[in-house]
Amino acid sequence: MGAPGDGIAIVLVTKTPERAAAIATSLERADDRLVAEPTADTDAALRVLRDTPVDCLVTAGGLTDPTGVPFVETVRDRHPELPIVFCPDEALDAAAVSDAFEAGATDVARSCGESDRTPVLVRRISNAVASARAVAEAERQRRRLEAFTSGVSHDLRNPLTVAQGRIELARREGDVGHVDDAAAAIDRTFELIDDLLTLAKQGERPRELDSVELSDLAERCWANVATGDATLVVDGDRRLLAHPSRLKQLLENLFRNAVDHGGDDVTVFVGDISPMYTTTRAETDLPTGFFVEDDGRGISQDECEDVFDVGYTTAEGGTGFGLNIVREVANAHGWEVSVSEGTRGGARFEITGAESGG
């Protein structure tokens, strides 16, 4: 299902399809951010939660038993972070409310079958989702800080230790060759600092997005990268809703990665990822976005698991931050980035979840 932008995707489970549809319509009319998937089948609801991005589960009335609490408990076991708003048919006593919270409900609201209760339920859903998103963002930033501090402590220490040792040898032996080595290590330190500062900025969520023509930006990014005799082929006219300078950083890093690992004569392809329409899947369920692929030496399955980690590199002289910056840019936009073996034998990076820029 999914909801665009700051929308809220809901799975609504009730006893009957008619009631589910009526409540879903009422919620969507009350707040245009809400996209509700109504169902009277708990198994179907569990499949939706498993297979598609959902922001909140709303249960109305008894489902698998007169209270509906066991279903809440099942969902909480499978989806620990999902907000669950529990709406019993009747007013619950204090013990029953406690049971609902203990089962994993995020909030308990009065019966949502009454039209005059719809605004209250909308607020409960909105608050639960906002709280969950804030927690998720705080955890994301915590992981970023850990990765950042790890990169600073590990990657800056090495060249500074080299520089310190070479300077000491130069003092002791009077060999200016050691000074040259120390200078090279210091230059390396500045290079790492630049990458670390870029990494720190890219993970911040952009406040404003613009419509960006991917093909035009790709051509301009290619001109900014030392690509030797490499060739760029752009196939597609997609426009993306993105932060232009961040997307530029993502593309340039992917181009550098292709040349560093594929050689000066590598060919790099940029194109659209468009949904393939079927009779069983809706368009909104299918991935869209773009890819950057090369015909170089490729990437092993083992490398696919590690290439986005801070400091990981197989290129001589690489800092190990380029692809981590790519992931941070993608995550900041709410996109997904993955790598696999390409159709031409090289590496293929796919960026999905990007919204059309019109």
Side-chain angles (χ1 to χ4, degrees):
M1 47 183 296
D6 63 349
I8 299 174
I10 302 167
V11 172
L12 174 67
V13 192
T14 67
K15 288 181 177 179
T16 66
E18 295 78 15
R19 187 181 185 212
I23 296 174
T25 299
S26 178
L27 291 172
E28 290 179 344
R29 287 176 176 172
D31 190 327
D32 59 11
R33 295 176 304 159
L34 304 185
V35 177
E37 177 77 16
T39 180
D41 184 341
T42 55
D43 289 336
L46 290 173
R47 287 194 295 271
V48 173
L49 293 175
R50 180 193 66 198
D51 296 336
T52 61
V54 174
D55 297 304
C56 186
L57 170 71
V58 179
T59 70
L63 300 168
T64 55
D65 79 337
T67 66
V69 168
F71 176 64
V72 172
E73 194 168 35
T74 298
V75 173
R76 176 57 67 225
D77 287 342
R78 300 185 186 184
H79 305 278
E81 310 302 328
L82 180 70
I84 302 175
V85 177
F86 179 72
C87 303
D89 276 335
E90 305 295 338
L92 294 180
D93 58 27
V97 171
S98 177
D99 287 343
F101 279 119
E102 183 149 347
T106 307
D107 198 358
V108 176
R110 289 171 55 189
S111 174
C112 57
E114 305 168 18
S115 59
D116 62 339
R117 299 297 301 170
T118 299
V120 175
L121 181 57
V122 168
R123 285 198 298 274
R124 296 290 185 87
I125 293 170
S126 179
N127 290 342
V129 171
S131 178
R133 287 176 175 175
V135 170
E137 176 64 13
E139 175 61 18
R140 190 181 75 88
Q141 294 292 356
R142 184 191 67 78
R143 291 195 301 267
R144 286 189 64 249
L145 181 59
E146 283 187 354
F148 183 76
T149 54
S150 174
V152 170
S153 62
H154 178 270
D155 292 280
L156 289 182
R157 183 179 289 114
N158 289 341
L160 289 175
T161 300
V162 170
Q164 187 179 44
R166 292 298 183 179
I167 290 171
E168 181 60 31
L169 286 173
R171 286 173 175 168
R172 188 186 311 158
E173 300 174 4
D175 185 350
V176 295
H178 293 307
V179 175
D180 292 337
D181 292 335
I186 291 172
D187 288 343
R188 173 72 166 174
T189 301
F190 283 122
E191 183 182 357
L192 287 166
I193 289 172
D194 287 342
D195 277 351
L196 285 165
L197 290 174
T198 300
L199 178 61
K201 295 175 183 176
Q202 297 307 327
E204 300 172 1
R205 294 195 181 279
R207 295 182 180 180
E208 295 184 3
L209 303 178
D210 296 325
S211 177
V212 180
E213 184 179 347
L214 180 61
S215 59
D216 177 65
L217 184 62
E219 296 282 358
R220 287 188 282 121
C221 289
W222 185 259
N224 292 337
V225 177
T227 54
D229 294 326
T231 304
L232 175 68
V233 177
V234 180
D235 182 16
D237 56 359
R238 179 178 295 277
R239 298 189 71 89
L240 302 173
L241 197 60
H243 190 282
S245 66
R246 305 254 188 115
L247 181 55
K248 175 176 175 289
Q249 187 78 48
L250 181 149
L251 288 170
E252 289 180 356
N253 281 11
L254 287 177
F255 292 161
R256 289 191 189 96
N257 182 76
V259 174
D260 287 345
H261 293 85
D264 287 347
D265 60 348
V266 71
T267 299
V268 179
F269 304 84
V270 177
D272 299 339
I273 298 174
S274 299
M276 296 177 62
Y277 300 99
T278 71
T279 58
T280 58
R281 295 186 68 185
E283 178 183 352
T284 54
D285 292 335
L286 297 164
T288 61
F290 64 96
F291 67 85
V292 176
E293 181 177 334
D294 63 70
D295 61 358
R297 67 175 180 84
I299 185 169
S300 69
Q301 188 61 42
D302 291 340
E303 284 183 287
C304 289
E305 302 296 325
D306 302 322
V307 294
F308 296 108
D309 292 346
V310 171
Y312 181 85
T313 181
T314 59
E316 185 178 353
T319 64
F321 292 106
L323 292 181
N324 188 262
I325 290 171
V326 168
R327 183 174 64 182
E328 289 297 313
V329 172
N331 288 347
H333 282 82
W335 305 340
E336 296 287 336
V337 59
S338 61
V339 61
S340 62
E341 182 179 351
T343 57
R344 301 166 178 88
R348 178 182 174 94
F349 291 85
E350 292 191 353
I351 293 85
T352 56
E355 293 184 41
S356 173

